[in-house]
């Protein structure tokens, strides 16, 4: 069988990308990571890609006239490499509608909260401030609205009274590194079926 192809978009340290890469290397995820793209030239994630012999591309938003054009260039790069699944691993840009429809049900994102709670930036800070007893992380397919698409997996962690944004982020990140690779594995095992807002695991 033909191996699946993954394209990763990231803006920063790339620890989720690394967790997925480990499972790819072990052969647990039946796919290869063919390209890592970033809007941030200095992203640690690009470095990790290069160290692992994966093509790493910086796409400079400033070189484009609009967000749409910038998105089109990223879609072009992904299509050219035959990418089957796009992974947003700490990608700090919003994906436009055209991008979403080019990869309908083939873009995954991880969010550090139990969606639909605390979408957007600083989810862990918001959870600590709100006083919730539990938070966690969510892997979901990406649709036109931010942090909104069908949910694939979630993991729950407790939130303690003396937690700070940092301590909670660390606890959540450990779970991110567990469920993101798991969701990607399920995708390439052909076990995810989307029906409306729901994702069934076959
Ligand atoms: C993670 O907390 C993820 O949930 C959020 O951005 C962060 C990325 O971290 N979307 P890393 O770059 O994968 O280490």
């Amino acid at each position: 069988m033909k191996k699946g192809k993954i394209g990763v978009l990231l803006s920063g340290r790339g620890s989720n990308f690394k967790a997925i890469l480990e499972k790819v290397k072990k052969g647990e995820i039946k796919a290869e990571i063919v390209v890592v793209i970033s809007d941030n030239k200095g992203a640690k994630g690009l470095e990790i890609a290069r160290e692992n012999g994966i093509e790493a591309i910086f796409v400079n938003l400033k070189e484009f006239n609009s967000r749409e054009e910038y998105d089109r260039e990223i879609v072009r790069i992904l299509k050219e490499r035959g990418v089957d699944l796009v992974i947003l691993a700490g990608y700090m840009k919003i994906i436009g509608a055209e991008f979403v429809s080019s990869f309908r049900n083939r873009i995954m994102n991880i969010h550090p909260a139990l969606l639909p709670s605390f979408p957007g930036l600083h989810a862990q800070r918001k959870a600590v401030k709100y006083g919730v007893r539990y938070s966690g992380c969510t892997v979901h397919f990406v649709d036109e609205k931010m942090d909104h698409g069908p949910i694939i997996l979630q993991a729950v962690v407790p939130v303690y009274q003396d937690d700070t944004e940092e301590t909670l982020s660390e606890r959540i990140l450990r779970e991110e590194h567990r469920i993101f690779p798991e969701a990607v594995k399920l995708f390439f095992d052909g076990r995810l079926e989307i029906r409306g807002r729901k994702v069934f695991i076959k």
Side-chain angles (χ1 to χ4, degrees):
M1 210 183 76
K2 214 176 115 256
K3 239 190 181 183
K5 290 184 177 168
I6 299 172
V8 177
L9 267 59
L10 52 77
S11 302
R13 69 189 159 179
S15 72
N16 277 286
F17 155 51
K18 209 171 160 189
I20 292 164
L21 177 61
E22 293 307 319
K23 301 282 179 195
V24 165
K25 280 187 180 169
K26 284 186 190 156
E28 288 174 34
I29 292 172
K30 293 180 192 70
E32 56 179 329
I33 301 176
V34 294
V35 66
V36 174
I37 302 170
S38 184
D39 59 315
N40 170 14
K41 195 165 193 244
K44 178 90 196 340
L46 284 178
E47 223 176 274
I48 298 171
R50 286 188 201 105
E51 283 164 11
N52 284 277
I54 299 167
E55 185 181 21
I57 305 177
F58 161 57
V59 183
N60 190 353
L61 181 55
K62 291 198 187 105
E63 287 173 10
F64 298 86
N65 293 321
S66 65
R67 279 300 305 275
E68 287 74 21
E69 267 185 39
Y70 166 78
D71 269 7
R72 259 175 234 141
E73 172 61 6
I74 293 179
V75 168
R76 189 194 64 75
I77 294 170
L78 295 167
K79 294 259 178 193
E80 196 175 75
R81 283 150 188 80
V83 165
D84 301 296
L85 179 69
V86 181
I87 290 175
L88 308 184
Y91 182 59
M92 302 309 282
K93 294 270 176 298
I94 291 169
I95 301 281
E98 220 180 288
F99 190 154
V100 172
S101 64
S102 301
F103 283 92
R104 175 75 56 200
N105 297 336
R106 293 193 294 133
I107 310 172
M108 270 186 201
N109 181 45
I110 181 123
H111 182 71
L114 294 174
L115 290 173
S117 288
F118 311 122
L121 290 174
H122 311 302
Q124 303 95 327
R125 188 189 304 171
K126 288 179 200 158
V128 167
K129 209 169 161 207
Y130 199 94
V132 291
R133 302 288 187 188
Y134 295 93
S135 190
C137 48
T138 304
V139 182
H140 65 94
F141 284 111
V142 172
D143 67 6
E144 281 77 5
K145 293 187 203 154
M146 191 186 55
D147 297 329
H148 175 269
I151 290 171
I152 305 164
L153 294 174
Q154 291 187 303
V156 179
V157 306
V159 183
Y160 302 119
Q161 303 289 39
D162 59 354
D163 262 331
T164 60
E165 182 182 0
E166 288 71 31
T167 57
L168 179 61
S169 298
E170 265 173 46
R171 195 173 307 122
I172 292 174
L173 194 63
R174 280 197 290 275
E175 293 302 306
E176 294 185 35
H177 295 165
R178 186 173 66 76
I179 68 168
F180 209 178
E182 180 59 27
V184 177
K185 177 180 162 45
L186 288 168
F187 180 91
F188 284 104
D189 286 345
R191 293 181 57 197
L192 297 180
E193 190 184 310
I194 307 173
R195 282 186 242 156
R197 266 215 60 87
K198 289 189 184 171
V199 178
F200 290 82
I201 299 174
K202 297 187 280 181

